[in-house]
Amino acid sequence: MSSSTIVVLTALDVEYDAVREKLHDPRLHRHQQGTRFEVGRLEGGRCRIALGLVGKGNQSAAVLAERAIQEFSPTALLFVGVAGALHSHIALGDVVVATHVYAFHGGTSEDDGFKSRPRVWEVSHGADQIARHVDRERAWMRTGRAKHRQPKVHFGPIAAGEVVLNSTVSAHADWIRRHYNDALAIEMEGAGVAQAAHLNRSLPVVVIRGVSDRADGTKEATDREQWQPRAVANAAAFTAALAESLTTDEANHRQPETTGTTGSQQMGGTVRNIAKDNARVGVQAGHVHGGVHLTTDKAAQVDPSAALADLTTRLEQARDAGVIDEDTHRAARAELDDARDALHATPCTRRPKIRAR
């Protein structure tokens, strides 16, 4: 069972419900500012998911993505939802995985017209490779749906703005066609999520969209035909498979911690000379290829804020795993909150807190 967490965010209730259906025994997780997440594991899998609802728009998506990243310290951030297709070869119900996200509203207004000043975020190479492998395996597709066409996965750019595009002749449609004609789909949250992940040490982020309309004036008709739940069900299925693969990949890349008194250990062709206590070892090897690194066994000073964040994460994991009950969790979380408040308070404002027992 993996201890790593993947945050999955959605904008609409229908999107949230599609992901929640795939979680085993999801449990409520309350952020101190009022945001509610649900944490659970994928059915039959090892992946731990923290699921959140951010609402419409890039701004709210960015704020709550930042909040989720700080709360859970995830391995990756996935955004799941519906989108409008911008090209005729993309069918309703297909899945679009963003290779990069355009924030298409940026620009400057001048006498001779509006000039585009776009921003763009690319998916990390590792996450992109894993997503393509999941698609090639095809195991993510739901079975027993012979009467429906099997969805395809398309990899390419996505345009993210602050409007719902439902026309092929409007000013916005013309703008997208002239400046972002390689975009496969259009939506409203991907740029905000990508920015939040980029500012957190380039956390891997993947935007997965199920195509529920064609952005051509027929949205009301496709909504009546229930294409939103059908499209997002496909996106949620792909997301679950991707989350499992990301978790497995992260676990496989962890290096086991090596301990010992003195001596030489060889792993994958690399010799590690380890000395503890009063022992001293320089280099103990027959041949040296590459660099030589000398370190001490003194632990680096731990940042108190990082330590508190780690303790909070471990506490939530213990509660989710059933190791501690709700009363113990609540009391411990309150103590951690007090410690966090004391750490960030100025010396003149620090006052001891008396807690009733």
Side-chain angles (χ1 to χ4, degrees), residues 80-82 93-95 140 208-210 230-240:
V80 186
V82 295
D94 280 359
V95 175
W140 64 273
I208 304 112
R209 294 288 183 171
R230 291 162 64 180
V232 79
N234 293 336
F238 184 86
T239 298

Side-chain angles (χ1 to χ4, degrees), residues 120-139:
V120 61
W121 295 266
E122 292 192 23
V123 66
S124 70
H125 175 68
D128 178 70
Q129 290 289 293
I130 293 172
R132 291 176 187 272
H133 181 73
V134 169
D135 175 41
R136 283 192 293 268
E137 288 189 322
R138 309 298 283 173

